[in-house]
Amino acid sequence: MNGISLNLDDKGEHLILHIDPQTCGDKLESKSVQYNIYQSEYKDLYLDDQALISAVELAIKRNQSGNDSQVEMAIAQILDGKLLIDVSPDEMEVELTVYNPYGGRSVTLEEVNEALKDQKVSRGISKKRIEKLLKELSAHPPGKSLSEVIAKGLPPRKGKDSKIIPMVPNALDRILQPQNSGKDKVDMRNLGDIVCVNEGQLVAKKIPPRPGRNGYTVKNKLIIASEGDWVQHSLGTNTKCLDDDPNLIIATVSGQPKFKYGQMNIDDVYRINGVNVKTGNVDYDGAVIVNGDVTENMKIIATGDVTINGFVESAYIKTQGDIIITQGATGKPNRDECRLEAGGSIALFHAQNTKMQAHKDVRVMKQLSHSEIDCEGEVIVGNQGKIDGNLFGCRIRASGQVAAGKIGAISGSKLEIDYSEAYNKLYYKHESLMELRKVLESSNATHEIRFVKLKRKKHRDALLPKVRELGEKLQDERSLLNWLRRTEQNVEAQLKEFKKKVQVSAYENIFPGVEVRINKQSFNVDKDYKQVIVSYQSGEWRLEALKT
């Protein structure tokens, strides 16, 4: 631009604007000068807009007054990049803020390290985060700033609380762990000895609280962690602590160990070599171990686990615990059925023409066919670690995942998996709670308003106890309403969690004839699919590839 020139001062720190008033005239504008600066080699310098405006106004005044002396004014300067270190009050984090330079030097890694050293920050520094921040900033215009947490302390971690651990295996786990028969082979029918303990045998022990992990601040100050707490552990049935070592738990009777919810229980055990017409039915308050078969039309009723080291044929077994059958169970179609009812889980090798009812899981190792299952947990057909069993020709009322290697049959035989009952139970419970909560909210709001008006009135001394009594009843109503809200939220969460568990997983194949249903919403498999999962998402059934 004619009559205007730019140059740095002798120190090379400031940009000097030179204006010849007579050449530029009185139509000179600061915006046009600013535009030319941004097109020049000095575009990255920090421009003082007010100084520029003052220089232009002075040049115009000199032109109008006939003063031809040149205007010289510093309007911009070179600024190096700068950084700020912000240490949190608890000294657990350090935030770095870096500003891009105006034509000067950029902040370097060495400068950041020196600044951290000045602030006595020495722990938890992330060199990668610093380098990434500096690299990202270089792509931004002059004066731009970016911030990042570049150092973190280590919070202390409280030690683990005391706990009880079993020293003997659970009977239910045994059926899922076939024994090694040598030469890297597994004998699926050899499940080892039945788990049983003797009186006085060590069955569990208390693990004392563990020390915590100490922490540190970014300034390398040690933070001492607290130790875990001693938790009050109640002893299970038929167990006691050793007199000379209260951390060791022994059995007070010979029986079957059952470790559940952090507590070891020993069930009294009734042993018998088979159940048949010669032995008669078994009705026992405790665990039952059958070293043999259970034959047609026989019954076993128990309160503890029922372990059958053999085969069950057209029999009735009911227990409050688990049912464990090392071989299998079968009934006769449309005649003598085989019925298994467990307050816990059911585990067996294979099952056919069998009715099962379990409050927990059903686990069949090899094959489950032509049976009726009512299960509040998972139905898994396959070995531990590898789900490769066959499931077909069944009617299953499920509450959790149903999984097998092959689901359905090539012949297209019918397999029904129905989640309706479990879903409706939660759904209607949630609806009832919601309706009750709305009614109580409405009446409570009315009561609250009336009570406020009542308190504002003056009452005779004789009526004051009545007013207090009303206030107490209103507080009880509030407590009930809050309980309803919490319960409704819990059931709603259970319903959402249930929908996540509604899935049928075929680890090998799923065949036509398989139907999965919740009320009137059903999914019918129309062809053979390999390694898929049928799930219920956003109110509809979906078929997706199974991630193995």
Side-chain angles (χ1 to χ4, degrees):
M1 181 178 287
N2 290 333
I4 294 177
S5 62
L6 301 166
N7 68 276
L8 294 175
D9 63 5
D10 295 338
K11 294 183 178 180
E13 296 177 352
H14 293 82
L15 179 66
I16 308 301
L17 172 65
H18 302 271
I19 303 177
D20 182 352
Q22 300 303 319
T23 303
C24 293
D26 58 0
K27 294 183 179 181
L28 182 64
E29 293 182 344
S30 59
K31 288 185 178 180
S32 61
V33 178
Q34 185 184 62
Y35 174 80
N36 280 274
I37 293 173
Y38 286 149
Q39 299 302 312
S40 72
E41 60 183 303
Y42 306 112
K43 63 180 183 300
D44 290 337
L45 274 62
Y46 177 73
L47 182 64
D48 186 342
D49 293 331
Q50 190 57 50
L52 174 60
I53 293 172
S54 298
V56 170
E57 289 178 347
L58 180 59
I60 292 173
K61 286 181 180 179
R62 289 186 179 181
N63 172 266
Q64 291 173 347
S65 63
N67 186 346
D68 59 357
S69 60
Q70 193 175 66
V71 174
E72 294 184 3
M73 190 173 296
I75 60 165
Q77 61 179 321
I78 295 175
L79 296 177
D80 293 336
K82 64 178 182 178
L83 63 91
L84 295 175
I85 299 291
D86 182 20
V87 181
S88 63
D90 60 1
E91 298 184 357
M92 295 302 290
E93 282 190 353
V94 176
E95 184 179 63
L96 169 66
T97 302
V98 185
Y99 295 82
N100 252 348
Y102 286 95
R105 293 185 308 102
S106 298
V107 174
T108 64
L109 177 62
E110 291 73 19
E111 289 174 327
V112 175
N113 289 334
E114 193 63 32
L116 290 171
K117 187 177 179 181
D118 291 342
Q119 293 281 351
K120 298 182 180 179
V121 175
S122 59
R123 296 294 301 272
I125 300 171
S126 173
K127 181 181 176 183
K128 288 185 178 180
R129 288 194 174 193
I130 298 172
E131 290 176 337
K132 180 184 176 184
L133 180 65
L134 296 178
K135 184 178 180 180
E136 288 181 357
L137 188 62
S138 64
H140 288 276
K144 173 68 177 179
S145 66
L146 293 179
S147 299
E148 178 75 52
V149 174
I150 50 92
K152 291 183 178 182
L154 180 68
R157 184 170 62 201
K158 182 183 176 182
K160 293 183 178 179
D161 295 340
S162 64
K163 64 178 181 178
I164 294 178
I165 62 170
M167 301 302 291
V168 290
N170 271 339
L172 184 62
D173 297 334
R174 203 176 113 272
I175 195 171
L176 305 179
Q177 297 176 349
Q179 303 298 299
N180 194 318
S181 60
K183 296 183 179 180
D184 298 325
K185 293 184 179 180
V186 171
D187 185 353
M188 301 302 294
R189 295 184 182 274
N190 176 19
L191 303 172
D193 295 331
I194 291 175
V195 179
C196 200
V197 298
N198 298 317
E199 181 181 352
Q201 182 176 338
L202 178 66
V203 292
K205 68 177 181 179
K206 297 179 183 178
I207 302 298
R210 302 288 298 275
R213 182 201 65 196
N214 292 335
Y216 54 79
T217 70
V218 293
K219 295 188 177 182
N220 201 24
K221 294 179 182 177
L222 182 65
I223 306 175
I224 303 298
S226 59
E227 189 180 68
D229 298 325
W230 271 105
V231 178
Q232 185 66 35
H233 300 286
S234 59
L235 291 174
T237 55
N238 298 321
T239 62
K240 72 173 186 178
C241 295
L242 278 178
D243 294 335
D244 55 350
D245 190 343
N247 290 329
L248 298 181
I249 301 171
I250 62 172
T252 58
V253 299
S254 295
Q256 195 168 44
K258 188 74 174 288
F259 187 74
K260 185 167 63 174
Y261 307 130
Q263 188 180 72
M264 176 62 77
N265 297 278
I266 308 299
D267 290 338
D268 286 330
V269 174
Y270 175 74
R271 295 173 180 271
I272 188 169
N273 294 323
V275 178
N276 48 52
V277 291
K278 292 182 180 180
T279 64
N281 296 325
V282 175
D283 190 342
Y284 188 69
D285 185 10
V288 175
I289 296 177
V290 181
N291 287 310
D293 298 335
V294 181
T295 59
E296 291 185 52
N297 300 318
M298 301 309 297
K299 295 181 180 180
I300 299 176
I301 298 175
T303 57
D305 292 351
V306 175
T307 303
I308 299 167
N309 199 14
F311 191 81
V312 178
E313 183 178 1
S314 300
Y316 175 56
I317 301 174
K318 181 178 181 180
T319 177
Q320 297 174 21
D322 300 327
I323 296 175
I324 304 145
I325 303 172
T326 62
Q327 292 186 24
T330 186
K332 295 178 181 178
N334 304 318
R335 288 181 56 194
D336 300 325
E337 62 185 16
C338 187
R339 291 173 58 198
L340 310 176
E341 297 178 11
S345 298
I346 298 175
L348 65 168
F349 191 78
H350 64 81
Q352 181 176 339
N353 296 315
T354 301
K355 282 189 175 181
M356 297 186 222
Q357 182 177 333
H359 284 280
K360 290 187 179 178
D361 301 330
V362 170
R363 184 69 180 260
V364 183
M365 294 181 65
K366 195 67 177 177
Q367 182 168 289
L368 175 58
S369 65
H370 306 292
S371 297
E372 187 173 331
I373 315 297
D374 191 346
C375 177
E376 295 182 20
E378 295 184 327
V379 178
I380 307 294
V381 186
N383 300 322
Q384 188 178 34
K386 185 178 182 182
I387 301 177
D388 58 357
N390 300 320
L391 171 62
F392 60 91
C394 295
R395 186 172 184 271
I396 300 174
R397 287 185 293 275
S399 298
Q401 177 187 202
V402 176
K406 294 179 181 177
I407 299 180
I410 297 176
S411 62
S413 62
K414 187 73 173 176
L415 171 64
E416 297 180 14
I417 302 172
D418 192 351
Y419 287 94
S420 303
E421 185 176 332
Y423 175 82
N424 291 340
K425 184 178 179 181
L426 283 172
Y427 177 80
Y428 289 119
K429 185 177 181 180
H430 179 257
E431 289 291 306
S432 298
L433 286 167
M434 184 169 60
E435 288 299 321
L436 185 58
R437 186 255 306 162
K438 288 179 179 178
V439 170
L440 190 56
E441 277 181 340
S442 177
S443 61
N444 177 253
T446 302
H447 297 160
E448 294 279 4
I449 294 171
R450 289 178 178 176
F451 187 69
V452 169
K453 291 180 179 179
L454 183 65
K455 286 186 68 177
R456 288 175 180 170
K457 296 180 180 179
K458 291 184 178 181
H459 303 283
R460 298 193 305 272
D461 292 344
L463 293 177
L464 291 177
K466 292 289 185 181
V467 175
R468 285 196 294 270
E469 184 180 348
L470 285 173
E472 291 172 358
K473 289 183 177 180
L474 186 58
Q475 182 58 47
D476 291 341
E477 188 179 68
R478 293 190 198 108
S479 299
L480 177 59
L481 181 57
N482 289 332
W483 178 85
L484 270 175
R485 286 167 177 160
R486 290 194 303 270
T487 306
E488 180 189 346
Q489 290 170 357
N490 289 337
V491 175
E492 184 178 14
Q494 292 173 24
L495 191 58
K496 290 180 180 179
E497 187 63 28
F498 173 81
K499 291 177 181 178
K500 293 179 182 178
K501 293 190 295 184
V502 172
Q503 56 183 42
V504 178
S505 305
Y507 282 77
E508 294 178 14
N509 301 81
I510 191 168
F511 298 101
V514 176
E515 180 185 7
V516 189
R517 181 172 63 248
I518 293 182
N519 298 323
K520 294 182 180 181
Q521 289 183 294
S522 63
F523 179 87
N524 293 278
V525 179
D526 55 355
K527 64 178 182 178
D528 181 2
Y529 293 95
K530 293 183 181 296
Q531 295 183 323
V532 293
I533 181 170
V534 180
S535 61
Y536 190 71
Q537 302 177 37
S538 302
E540 63 180 15
W541 293 104
R542 294 186 186 179
L543 180 72
E544 299 172 322
L546 181 66
K547 297 178 182 179
T548 57

